[in-house]
Amino acid sequence: MKGERWQTDLNSFESRAKQLGAEVISRDAGGDDDRQFQQVEDMIKAGIKVLVLMPRDTNKASRMVDAAKAANVKVISYDRLVLNSDVDLYVSFDRLEIGRMQAEYLLKQAPKGNYVLIAGSPRDEGAKTLHDAQMSVLQPYLDRGDIKVIADAYTKDWLASEAYLFTLKSIDSAQGKIAAILASNDGLAGGAIQALREHNLAGKVAVSGQDADLAAVIAIVQGAQTMTVYKPIVNEAGRAAEEALHMAKGEKTQADGTISNGKIQVPVIMLKPVAVTKENIKTTVVKDGFQTLKSINQALSQDQQIK
């Protein structure tokens, strides 16, 4: 629950589930895999019908799915896919599309120069999917020598502090000559921007993000961040709640297709992400009520404010 978006996910899920007449028990493991496993076991003992699981470690989480299935509890893998397990449904946004969006937008802003890639947690299967999608877009530019990836690393637990330190090192090694930072989410982008600001490079380097966090939207208006990828997570959470109800009643789920998790083809509901830039903040995150003009403008100077 450390990231801003996860509270929105939980609130939206609980709200929709209660509208549909379900009772929701929720727990936060605080980034501890063993604690999450214990919480899942306690929930199973309490008699849950469906487990909606957001795994921290997509490999280790298979034991939680095994425990649930042994007790005839259905499992929805939420936002991140639990690997090598009998998951009943995966609800997420298309990570390949997100990675492509991030890379394509930065290339429009910075078609030449040095690139820094800051990927998410090595424990998160989705972080690798994002990174691979980004690289597939960058590859032709790398082959031509138009761009050069001077630093590329995964980041422990998606921590902004790690992204900050990594960016500082990258700035130092490139002597400040960086065209773009391909940060996989807004937390990482925020860490990178802090390092850029300390070297008077904020606004001169293109920076991507993901999640449309308030701080990121503000940074986009200020020109320090170039774009973010907005995922209408109210829809994601609501859809997960609806499908959990179908499962609890023994009804069929409405999957779009399937995806391999290394063990089975998991039915998947893949939602569409939206690129957010300075030009479309009002028609995307503000229009949907995901962020408010008031909260954005409060952090901006008079001349920067969105009218």
Side-chain angles (χ1 to χ4, degrees):
M1 297 299 290
K2 286 170 188 161
E4 178 189 313
R5 66 155 292 190
W6 300 115
Q7 192 60 55
T8 305
D9 286 83
L10 180 59
N11 293 347
S12 304
F13 182 90
E14 287 183 334
S15 172
R16 184 67 184 128
K18 283 169 185 172
Q19 280 174 3
L20 297 167
E23 184 187 342
V24 179
I25 306 166
S26 68
R27 296 287 181 271
D28 170 17
D32 185 321
D33 297 310
D34 291 332
R35 188 175 173 202
Q36 191 174 37
F37 183 48
Q38 186 59 55
Q39 287 171 339
V40 167
E41 288 197 311
D42 291 345
M43 286 177 169
I44 292 165
K45 283 177 194 159
I48 59 166
K49 294 267 175 66
V50 181
L51 171 67
V52 182
L53 178 66
M54 206 292 282
R56 172 178 172 270
D57 187 317
T58 50
N59 278 299
K60 284 186 182 174
S62 60
R63 59 182 175 160
M64 300 175 212
V65 179
D66 293 344
K69 301 302 282 190
N72 291 316
V73 172
K74 297 284 188 182
V75 181
I76 295 177
S77 194
Y78 186 81
D79 204 73
R80 296 179 187 167
L81 180 59
V82 182
L83 302 176
N84 301 306
S85 61
D86 291 317
V87 173
D88 294 287
L89 182 68
Y90 174 41
V91 181
S92 190
F93 285 88
D94 188 340
R95 281 196 170 74
L96 289 171
E97 182 62 19
I98 292 167
R100 288 193 291 261
M101 272 181 178
Q102 291 169 327
E104 284 166 3
Y105 199 84
L106 288 197
L107 285 166
K108 279 182 198 163
Q109 312 305 309
K112 295 192 172 179
N114 291 332
Y115 270 57
V116 172
L117 270 64
I118 310 177
S121 168
R123 296 169 182 269
D124 179 357
E125 157 276 333
K128 184 178 186 307
T129 303
L130 264 179
H131 180 269
D132 291 352
Q134 293 161 357
M135 283 303 297
S136 70
V137 174
L138 297 182
Q139 200 59 56
Y141 291 78
L142 287 163
D143 294 343
R144 286 197 301 268
D146 290 345
I147 67 166
K148 186 179 177 187
V149 173
I150 58 158
D152 180 5
Y154 287 88
T155 313
K156 182 189 170 194
D157 288 339
W158 295 84
L159 289 171
S161 55
E162 297 279 320
Y164 165 71
L165 294 171
F166 185 66
T167 305
L168 282 180
K169 281 185 194 167
S170 304
I171 291 167
D172 194 39
S173 66
Q175 298 177 316
K177 289 176 182 153
I178 296 171
I181 295 178
L182 219 173
S184 282
N185 80 351
D186 288 339
L188 301 177
I193 289 165
Q194 186 185 342
L196 291 172
R197 282 193 169 122
E198 288 174 14
H199 286 80
N200 295 314
L201 291 170
K204 297 170 187 173
V205 178
V207 181
S208 66
Q210 175 191 187
D211 290 334
D213 288 349
L214 179 59
V217 174
I218 290 162
I220 288 170
V221 181
Q222 291 170 330
Q225 187 166 327
T226 313
M227 64 86 74
T228 186
V229 177
Y230 164 50
K231 300 173 300 189
I233 53 180
V234 172
N235 300 351
E236 181 186 17
R239 187 74 190 271
E242 289 160 12
E243 296 303 334
L245 261 289
H246 288 314
M247 284 182 175
K249 293 174 181 174
E251 298 167 359
K252 269 192 134 181
T253 55
Q254 304 295 312
D256 305 322
T258 62
I259 188 169
S260 173
N261 73 346
K263 182 177 184 182
I264 61 166
Q265 286 293 321
V266 182
V268 62
I269 291 169
M270 217 47 113
L271 303 163
K272 290 285 174 200
V274 179
V276 174
T277 64
K278 199 170 182 176
E279 291 70 38
N280 70 351
I281 286 168
K282 270 179 89 167
T283 58
T284 54
V285 292
V286 172
K287 184 184 171 194
D288 285 5
F290 187 72
Q291 302 293 359
T292 66
L293 271 184
K294 186 182 176 187
S295 57
I296 297 165
N297 284 336
Q298 271 176 344
L300 299 168
S301 61
Q302 197 70 38
D303 61 319
Q304 288 176 327
Q305 290 183 359
I306 301 170
K307 301 294 186 278

